[in-house]
Amino acid sequence: MKTTETSAPVPAESGVPVAKVDVPDGPPRKEKKEGTTLNVFSHGILVIWAILVVLPLAWAVMTSFKDDSSIFGSPWSLPDKLHFDNWSRAWTQANMSDYFLNTILVVGGSLIGTLVLGSMAAYVLARFDFPGNRFIYYLFVGGMSFPIMLALVPLFYVVNNMGLLNTIHGLILVYIAYSLPFTVFFLTSFFRTLPASVAEAAFVDGASHSRTFFQIMLPMAKPGLISVGIFNFLGQWNQYMLPTVLNTDPDKRVLTQGLVQLAVSQGYKGDWSGLFAGLVMAMLPVLAAYIIFQRQVVQGLTAGALK
């Protein structure tokens, strides 16, 4: 960018020194053009990503209201008639109601246990210095990188020896252990961003550590709890491998096992319309939870990332 030097007109006999001022030739057009190009490119990528995510979901919802002949005959067209019997058939004949109830019990119990235990452990690791603090923290971080497939066989024998195989509470305990590493890792970073002066003021007023945590610090960490709760809810609701290995009782199957059972229930003649209806049933709670708490999720992520 070129500049020109100008001087204010001063009479020669005044003896006042002339001040030189740099005046730009024009606006920084190159920087503005580069910023506009970057914005257009990033927005284009976001639009493409939104289409890739929304289109399959919309197609699955649309297909759940078709009959089997329309699914294979005209898969991309709108249904000529809304077949609500697909939903009722999947809910009653395929025992989706029982699978749904079992999933709510397992995911609800494991989610509460994960948030309570994970927040307590994260608060201690974030706020107190003691020998082995960093070692324990890195143990939780290392648990995130451990593949669950390598632990399936020993986990099966451990759960079986404890008498928890094919039980709802046994599956809840396994889900909690599976979700704790990420929960502790996420909430430890979040608790470090909270002001320490609030906890110190509570200690001065005579509050105990437990009261300070449950009545002061935990409500302040609500955005982080909601964010990590949504992530755990997604992972636990869609979990298939763990219940398949640890829960073989037909009466205690969860929703993912029920969808597989619905797909293979009729051999080579599958109930595709009922299967899509069951798929949408399993998808709706997760989608509704994210839509309701999307603002809290973003707040929790940004608050935990910035300090």
Side-chain angles (χ1 to χ4, degrees), residues 146-154 241-242:
F146 187 81
I148 191 62
M149 291 182 292
L150 297 180
L152 286 178
V153 175
M241 187 178 302
L242 288 177

Side-chain angles (χ1 to χ4, degrees), residues 64-81:
S64 65
F65 292 102
K66 293 182 177 181
D67 55 5
D68 291 343
S69 59
S70 299
I71 291 175
F72 291 99
S74 54
W76 301 107
S77 64
L78 294 175
D80 54 354
K81 178 184 177 182

Side-chain angles (χ1 to χ4, degrees), residues 27-151:
R29 298 179 179 178
K30 185 176 182 181
E31 290 80 357
K32 183 177 180 181
K33 183 178 180 181
E34 291 178 353
T36 303
T37 304
L38 182 61
N39 289 334
V40 172
F41 178 77
S42 60
H43 283 77
I45 295 296
L46 291 177
V47 170
I48 294 175
W49 179 259
I51 293 175
L52 292 177
V53 172
V54 174
L55 188 60
L57 297 180
W59 181 78
V61 174
M62 179 185 67
T63 307
S64 65
F65 292 102
K66 293 182 177 181
D67 55 5
D68 291 343
S69 59
S70 299
I71 291 175
F72 291 99
S74 54
W76 301 107
S77 64
L78 294 175
D80 54 354
K81 178 184 177 182
L82 297 180
H83 295 271
F84 291 99
D85 58 311
N86 299 337
W87 290 62
S88 61
R89 187 172 66 255
W91 184 259
T92 56
Q93 296 182 7
N95 295 327
M96 293 296 292
S97 58
D98 296 336
Y99 303 147
F100 210 93
L101 178 60
N102 293 336
T103 305
I104 292 177
L105 293 176
V106 172
V107 175
S110 60
L111 193 61
I112 294 174
T114 301
L115 292 180
V116 172
L117 296 177
S119 60
M120 294 172 66
Y123 177 74
V124 172
L125 293 174
R127 291 295 181 179
F128 298 96
D129 292 329
F130 56 90
N133 181 298
R134 303 303 297 174
F135 177 73
I136 297 175
Y137 173 75
Y138 287 122
L139 280 181
F140 281 107
V141 174
M144 297 171 55
S145 61
F146 187 81
I148 191 62
M149 291 182 292
L150 297 180

Side-chain angles (χ1 to χ4, degrees), residues 56-57 63 66 71 76 111 120 127 133 153 155 179 186 210 216-217 222 228 230 246 270 282 292 301:
L57 297 180
T63 307
K66 293 182 177 181
I71 291 175
W76 301 107
L111 193 61
M120 294 172 66
R127 291 295 181 179
N133 181 298
V153 175
L155 183 62
S179 304
F186 185 93
S210 60
I216 298 176
M217 303 304 293
K222 182 180 178 181
V228 75
I230 292 295
L246 305 176
I292 294 173
L301 291 176

